Amino acid sequence: AGASRLCNLHLLSRFGVGVGSLARIHGCYCGRRRSEPTGRWCLRYPSCFLLLACGSSAPVFAVRQASCPARTERMAVAVVAFLLVTSSLLLAPATAQNEPRINASDDVILHPLGSTIILQCNLTTNPSPLNSSYWEKNGEEISGSRKNATSTEHKILKAKTDDSGEYTCVFTFLTSHPSANATIEVKASPEIIGHKRSENKNEGQNAVLYCKSIGYPHPEWNWRKEVNGIFEDINNSSGRFFISNKESFTELSIVNLQISEDPGNYQCNASNSVNSTASVTILRVRSHLAPLWPFLGIVAEIIILVVIIVVYEKRKRPDEVPDDDEPAGPMKTNSTNNHKDKNLRQRNTN
């Protein structure tokens, strides 16, 4: 029993226990434990051998299947299952103790705006000496937040919609152990900060309407058109409407504008888990003749002015036209002569 031998062992894949890929194990001493760096030992059962090989993360079990009775085989399987469960329970706490633990603040909703927000993180368990800690917003390090402390906080004064986002506290260590982090979400209702109030285009041209927002989580976008006083989802049966959505930006493109279908009010709607908001853009579509309207207006004004002048000249009164036979100077009337005669008679009487 103490002689060295090659134990040809097969994994318990047929029993659903097989872990790893052992095909041949050297130096199994049946009946007693042999001290080796790999930590292998064999337990003897009647006419068969049970192998336990401890790996780096999970134990590997195998059974020699050479002339094993059915009863002994079932017993071996039971022992293997028991050891597998037990070893997993023993290894899990040891592994968990080496993992860093961070107590972080709960997620925050900015309502109402203008309040002061304090985000906190506390490293309660660290696997190696701490190197530094700092804060990130949306994946970018916040300037001036780096320090060497297991407890850190970030303060937001007079919080605005633009302050919302993903805040992450990061702890780095002096050894090769990977850094630890925890994420806190600061949420806010979306706010549309950029859009076209109106758009003027000619028939047959293309129009582009857009909206831009701030707020976290990033909103879901939707475009609607006003029909009979009610905003409804855009009917794209003509295939001329194209919508492009990004995290905080949306764009509506309309190709080959039709003057009879496309003018109206278009609404972009942004909604997230906190709230929703919307903005309206007015689209005006002009006729093909629109560029000629200024020229046609000038021509019409000239024609009207000429007509007025002609009519005025033709309707002048005849007595206002001077006669060449009449003297140019003023004429004395009979009343003036009579008046002079009367004055002469009065002098003679006196």
Side-chain angles (χ1 to χ4, degrees):
S4 176
R5 68 182 67 183
L6 293 177
C7 298
N8 293 321
L9 304 171
H10 302 278
L11 292 176
L12 295 178
S13 58
R14 55 183 288 190
F15 303 108
V17 184
V19 181
S21 58
L22 277 176
R24 183 183 296 267
I25 301 296
H26 298 277
C28 286
Y29 287 84
C30 302
R32 70 175 184 269
R33 178 174 179 174
R34 179 184 179 189
S35 176
E36 291 184 355
T38 55
R40 305 168 181 165
W41 64 86
C42 292
L43 299 177
R44 184 171 181 177
Y45 287 88
S47 303
C48 75
F49 298 93
L50 173 69
L51 172 72
L52 169 62
C54 291
S56 60
S57 59
V60 179
F61 299 95
V63 165
R64 180 184 177 188
Q65 294 183 346
S67 65
C68 291
R71 179 180 177 184
T72 305
E73 190 171 310
R74 288 195 297 270
M75 183 182 298
V77 173
V79 173
V80 168
F82 173 76
L83 291 175
L84 179 62
V85 174
T86 304
S87 60
S88 299
L89 294 176
L90 291 176
L91 289 174
T95 304
Q97 289 178 359
N98 293 329
E99 294 297 327
R101 293 183 179 180
I102 301 175
N103 290 335
S105 304
D106 295 332
D107 294 343
V108 179
I109 297 179
L110 296 182
H111 183 76
L113 298 175
S115 57
T116 299
I117 305 297
I118 300 177
L119 309 179
Q120 296 177 330
C121 283
N122 185 20
L123 181 66
T124 58
T125 303
N126 51 321
S128 63
L130 181 68
N131 179 29
S132 65
S133 63
Y134 59 91
W135 286 87
E136 293 180 347
K137 180 187 177 184
N138 298 330
E140 297 183 1
E141 182 176 348
I142 299 175
S143 177
S145 64
R146 187 178 289 268
K147 60 181 181 178
N148 186 356
T150 58
S151 181
T152 180
E153 69 176 27
H154 178 67
K155 186 178 294 186
I156 306 174
L157 301 176
K158 297 181 179 179
K160 306 179 295 296
T161 303
D162 196 25
D163 293 321
S164 61
E166 282 189 350
Y167 289 81
T168 304
C169 56
V170 183
F171 296 90
T172 61
F173 305 97
L174 294 175
T175 62
S176 59
H177 194 283
S179 61
N181 62 76
T183 299
I184 304 172
E185 291 186 349
V186 178
K187 303 178 181 180
S189 172
E191 179 182 342
I192 296 178
I193 58 173
H195 75 286
K196 288 185 176 180
R197 297 185 180 275
S198 63
E199 180 79 345
N200 300 321
K201 291 291 182 178
N202 297 328
E203 187 176 9
Q205 292 182 335
N206 300 335
V208 177
L209 313 180
Y210 69 88
C211 286
K212 183 179 180 181
S213 73
I214 55 176
Y216 184 85
H218 297 300
E220 294 182 0
W221 293 100
N222 190 19
W223 284 91
R224 298 185 176 95
K225 183 183 178 183
E226 186 176 15
V227 179
N228 297 326
I230 301 175
F231 284 98
E232 301 178 354
D233 292 339
I234 294 176
N235 180 11
N236 194 21
S237 58
S238 61
R240 297 183 296 105
F241 294 83
F242 300 91
I243 298 176
S244 175
N245 295 332
K246 297 180 180 179
E247 290 181 347
S248 58
F249 183 83
T250 182
E251 187 177 82
L252 172 64
S253 300
I254 310 174
V255 300
N256 191 20
L257 288 171
Q258 302 297 317
I259 194 171
S260 60
E261 302 176 8
D262 299 331
N265 296 332
Y266 290 80
Q267 181 191 74
C268 64
N269 182 277
S271 60
N272 62 10
S273 58
V274 180
N275 207 340
S276 63
T277 186
S279 291
V280 176
T281 300
I282 303 174
L283 175 62
R284 301 181 182 91
V285 181
R286 298 172 295 191
S287 171
H288 291 293
L289 299 177
L292 298 177
W293 288 348
F295 174 75
L296 295 177
I298 295 174
V299 172
E301 289 179 359
I302 294 174
I303 294 174
I304 293 173
L305 182 60
V306 170
V307 171
I308 292 174
I309 294 174
V310 171
V311 172
Y312 175 78
E313 291 294 334
K314 286 186 176 182
R315 298 187 62 179
K316 276 185 175 181
R317 290 181 299 176
D319 54 356
E320 293 181 358
V321 180
D323 193 355
D324 295 338
D325 297 335
E326 294 181 358
M331 297 183 64
K332 295 181 179 180
T333 61
N334 294 330
S335 60
T336 303
N337 295 332
N338 295 334
H339 181 69
K340 289 182 177 181
D341 294 339
K342 184 178 180 180
N343 291 336
L344 289 173
R345 285 195 297 267
Q346 287 180 352
R347 289 195 199 103
N348 295 328
T349 304
N350 293 330

